[in-house]
Amino acid sequence: MTMKTLFLQAPSFEGFDGGAGSRYQAKREIRSFWFPTWLAQPAAMIPGSRLLDAPPGDVSVEETLQVAAAYALCVIHTSTPSFPSDVRMAELLKARYPQMLIGMVGAKVAVEPEESLQASTAVDFVAREEFDYTLTEVAEGRPFDEIDGITYRSGSGQIVHNPDRAMIEDMDALPFVSEVYKRDLRIEDYFIGYLKHPYVSLYTGRGCRSQCTFCLWPQTVGGHRYRTRSVASVIDEVRYIQQNFPQVQEIFFDDDTFTDDRPRAEEIARGLGKLGVTWSCNAKANVPYETLKVLHENGLRLLLVGYESGDQQILNNIKKGLKIEAARKFTADCHKLGIVIHGTFILGLPGETKETIQKTIHFAKEINPHTIQVSLAAPYPGTFLYNQAKQEGWLTDEDEAHLVNDRGVQISPMSYPHLNHTEIFDSVELMYKRFYFRAGKIAEITGEMLKSTQMMKRRLREGVEFVRFLRQRHG
C-alpha cells in the first residue's frame, strides 16, 4: 500500500515566493509566484497524493493542518530563508498527528542534511539530490536503509546518511507536471510580472552547463549536465496544456538555460509554432540571431535573461562565461526581431564597488530591456559563492542567517571593506528608479497600457505593489 502523501509548500511570510521554481526565495517587488514544479514532479508519480501550495492560495496554518489530516506522509519543500518557519510547520504537524511521517526536500536540506535533521525531531528524513524516485520509494514503504538519497533519523535517534542517488537520465520517464497542476492547483493564483496571465511553467530538462558561482540549483540539485526530455514529450505536454487550460495565455520553459541546446530549441520551437502557442523561456545573452529568428517566428514572445552586471570583471569573477559586447549584440538582435526581454541583474557580487554599481545601472539603461529585476547577491549554502564569502570574510556567521528580513524581503547579507550592507541594499532601489523613471521608459509602459484595458489594470496594480514594496524594504 502506497502511503497517502501530501506535498507541501508551507505557509510562510506573506507574499513569499519560496516555491521550488523560484530562483530567489523572497518576497518580490510585485506579487509573484512560480509554479512548484519540483514538488509537482514526484506528486505526479505517487498515486493518491496531493500538492498543497499554501502561499499563492493564502492558505493558513490551521487550514493546512486540517488538510494534512488525511495523509500519512508529508513532504515539505524548504529553503534557507524559510527553513525556520518550515520547521515550525513540521512541529505543528507532528504534534497534531504523531504517527505522520515528515520529510523535507530542497537545496537547503540537500547540502545540510544532518544540520537540518538536528534542527527538530519532528522531521524524520530529508531527501537529497534529485528526489523524485527517492520519495516514490519512501511512499511505497520501502525500509529507509534501502533508499538511496536520504538522510534519516533511525529508531535509536541516530542520523544515518545513505548513499547518493544517481542522477535521472531518462527524463521522458517522468510524468507530466501539468497533470498535477490541473488536479491540485488554481493556475490563476500564479503571477509573474513580465509573463501574460494566466501562465503555466514547466521544465523540458534539468541541469545547466554554465558555472555561475552564485546559482543555486545546478550546484545543489540539478547538476551541470543538461539532461533533456525528447522534443515529442515536450510537444505532447504543451498539447495537454492547450486542451486542459484553455485560459492559459503563455507557456514558460523554466530550464536554467533552455537555449543551451540550440538545435533542440529550434526543433521544439517549430513544433510549438504548429500548435500556435505563445511561449517564453530563460536564455543566456549569447544566442545567435539565426536561432533567435527561428524561435520568434514560432511563437517566442519573451526571453528571461540574466545579465547580472554591466562590469566585465564582475562577470569574470562569477564565471558567467559572457562578454559584455556579446550581450549588447544579443540584446540588439532581440530588439530588431521584436523579442521582449526581461533582464535580471544582481548587485553586491564579488568585485562590486560604487563605480561598478553605476556602471551596471548605465548598462541596463543602454541596452534597455522591457523590464528588469534587481536582486541582491545571495550566498546560499552549497554554492561556490557561499564558500568564497565565508573564506574571504564577506559573510559573518551572524549575517549568514539573514537572507531576508522579518517580512520575507531580500536583504544584503554580504559586505566588503569598501562597500557595506547598507550601500549594497540601497543600490537596488536606486537602480529601479534610474531605470524606470525615464521619459522613454514611462512612455513605453504607458503605451503598453493604452493598448489594453487589462494591461492597464494590471500595471496600475503592480505600480501600487511596487511602491508598497519599496516602503517595506525600509520597514
Side-chain angles (χ1 to χ4, degrees):
M1 284 288 292
T2 300
M3 282 186 276
K4 287 199 68 177
T5 305
L6 177 66
F7 290 91
L8 176 63
Q9 188 68 46
S12 185
F13 309 98
E14 182 184 358
F16 181 86
D17 185 14
S22 175
R23 292 299 193 275
Y24 282 90
Q25 293 94 23
K27 183 174 182 177
R28 300 307 316 178
E29 297 81 352
I30 60 175
R31 182 177 173 86
S32 301
F33 287 108
W34 285 103
F35 281 81
T37 316
W38 280 90
L39 280 184
Q41 191 68 80
M45 301 165 67
I46 298 175
S49 68
R50 175 175 173 179
L51 171 55
L52 175 59
D53 193 4
D58 294 321
V59 179
S60 69
V61 169
E62 181 56 36
E63 289 169 331
T64 300
L65 289 168
Q66 291 174 13
V67 169
Y71 297 90
L73 167 63
C74 180
V75 177
I76 302 172
H77 173 264
T78 191
S79 64
T80 298
S82 67
F83 183 71
S85 63
D86 294 331
V87 166
R88 287 196 294 273
M89 186 75 243
E91 290 171 344
L92 290 171
L93 285 165
K94 188 70 81 171
R96 187 168 295 192
Y97 311 113
Q99 300 307 311
M100 176 179 280
L101 189 64
I102 299 176
M104 281 187 166
V105 296
K108 158 72 178 176
V109 298
V111 300
E112 297 179 335
E114 290 191 30
E115 297 90 333
S116 300
L117 283 178
Q118 287 167 352
S120 176
T121 55
V123 182
D124 298 298
F125 72 94
V126 301
R128 313 181 314 268
E129 299 100 32
E130 287 182 299
F131 45 75
D132 313 85
Y133 288 105
T134 301
L135 297 177
T136 301
E137 292 176 6
V138 171
E140 289 171 348
R142 185 174 297 190
F144 276 3
D145 60 5
E146 297 179 9
I147 302 175
D148 286 348
I150 65 169
T151 300
Y152 64 97
R153 186 176 289 101
S154 69
S156 62
Q158 287 186 312
I159 293 177
V160 182
H161 192 77
N162 282 3
D164 293 346
R165 179 169 291 274
M167 300 293 272
I168 299 171
E169 301 298 338
D170 183 3
M171 301 302 292
D172 280 4
L174 299 173
F176 294 169
V177 293
S178 52
E179 294 178 349
V180 174
Y181 298 169
K182 172 76 173 175
R183 185 189 73 191
D184 294 338
L185 305 180
R186 181 179 179 273
I187 66 167
E188 287 78 10
D189 289 341
Y190 295 85
F191 296 85
I192 295 295
Y194 47 86
L195 297 180
K196 291 178 177 294
H197 184 260
Y199 82 100
V200 164
S201 64
L202 58 104
Y203 291 91
T204 77
R206 291 181 182 173
C208 181
R209 298 169 184 167
S210 298
Q211 302 292 320
C212 303
T213 63
F214 61 88
C215 195
L216 180 64
W217 298 108
Q219 297 184 77
T220 57
V221 178
H224 286 293
R225 282 190 302 113
Y226 187 31
R227 294 157 293 126
T228 59
R229 296 164 57 182
S230 67
V231 173
S233 170
V234 175
I235 298 302
D236 282 347
E237 184 157 17
V238 171
R239 191 177 289 113
Y240 174 88
I241 291 168
Q242 279 188 305
Q243 293 168 353
N244 289 275
F245 300 103
Q247 72 273 42
V248 163
Q249 299 296 305
E250 182 162 23
I251 295 173
F252 186 87
F253 298 121
D254 206 12
D255 307 34
D256 287 279
T257 311
F258 179 80
T259 54
D260 263 7
D261 186 338
R262 291 168 193 163
R264 175 178 177 270
E266 291 180 16
E267 189 178 353
I268 290 174
R270 291 187 177 97
L272 297 172
K274 293 174 183 176
L275 295 179
V277 299
T278 298
W279 60 281
S280 299
C281 67
N282 291 305
K284 198 168 182 176
N286 62 357
V287 185
Y289 180 87
E290 295 73 21
T291 295
L292 291 171
K293 188 171 184 293
V294 171
L295 305 187
H296 183 56
E297 288 174 348
N298 288 281
L300 173 69
R301 185 189 70 87
L302 173 144
L303 292 175
L304 173 55
V305 182
Y307 294 101
E308 322 313 355
S309 175
D311 182 81
Q312 186 62 60
Q313 187 56 54
I314 289 179
L315 295 183
N316 295 344
N317 292 346
I318 62 173
K319 302 180 183 178
K320 182 68 181 177
L322 179 68
K323 297 295 184 184
I324 293 288
E325 284 308 313
R328 281 195 176 97
K329 182 182 184 307
F330 161 86
T331 309
D333 288 344
C334 287
H335 288 328
K336 181 178 178 181
L337 288 165
I339 298 172
V340 178
I341 296 178
H342 176 74
T344 64
F345 297 85
I346 303 173
L347 299 177
L349 291 164
E352 195 78 277
T353 64
K354 293 177 183 178
E355 291 72 28
T356 59
I357 288 171
Q358 295 300 323
K359 198 171 182 179
T360 295
I361 294 172
H362 178 78
F363 177 67
K365 290 162 64 178
E366 175 200 338
I367 62 173
N368 197 34
H370 183 55
T371 52
I372 63 169
Q373 173 184 306
V374 187
S375 299
L376 292 160
Y380 286 103
T383 63
F384 180 93
L385 177 61
Y386 173 83
N387 295 331
Q388 182 184 28
K390 294 288 284 186
Q391 182 177 342
E392 297 291 341
W394 304 332
L395 180 69
T396 67
D397 290 342
E398 181 181 350
D399 292 329
E400 182 182 339
H402 299 95
L403 293 175
V404 298
N405 64 18
D406 58 4
R407 293 174 301 282
V409 175
Q410 191 183 32
I411 59 177
S412 178
M414 292 199 303
S415 65
Y416 306 98
H418 57 277
L419 195 66
N420 64 36
H421 298 282
T422 303
E423 291 171 311
I424 297 171
F425 181 80
D426 289 345
S427 66
V428 170
E429 186 171 338
L430 176 67
M431 184 165 178
Y432 273 128
K433 288 179 175 178
R434 293 269 184 88
F435 182 83
Y436 281 113
F437 295 170
R438 297 177 288 150
K441 181 57 67 176
I442 291 170
E444 181 184 334
I445 293 176
T446 301
E448 180 186 41
M449 292 165 62
L450 291 174
K451 292 177 183 176
S452 164
T453 303
Q454 182 184 15
M455 182 58 72
M456 179 174 289
K457 291 179 181 177
R458 178 173 175 177
R459 291 298 185 219
L460 289 173
R461 172 182 60 79
E462 291 172 349
V464 171
E465 291 175 356
F466 181 69
V467 171
R468 186 184 303 131
F469 171 83
L470 293 182
R471 288 175 181 164
Q472 286 181 338
R473 291 186 89 237
H474 297 283

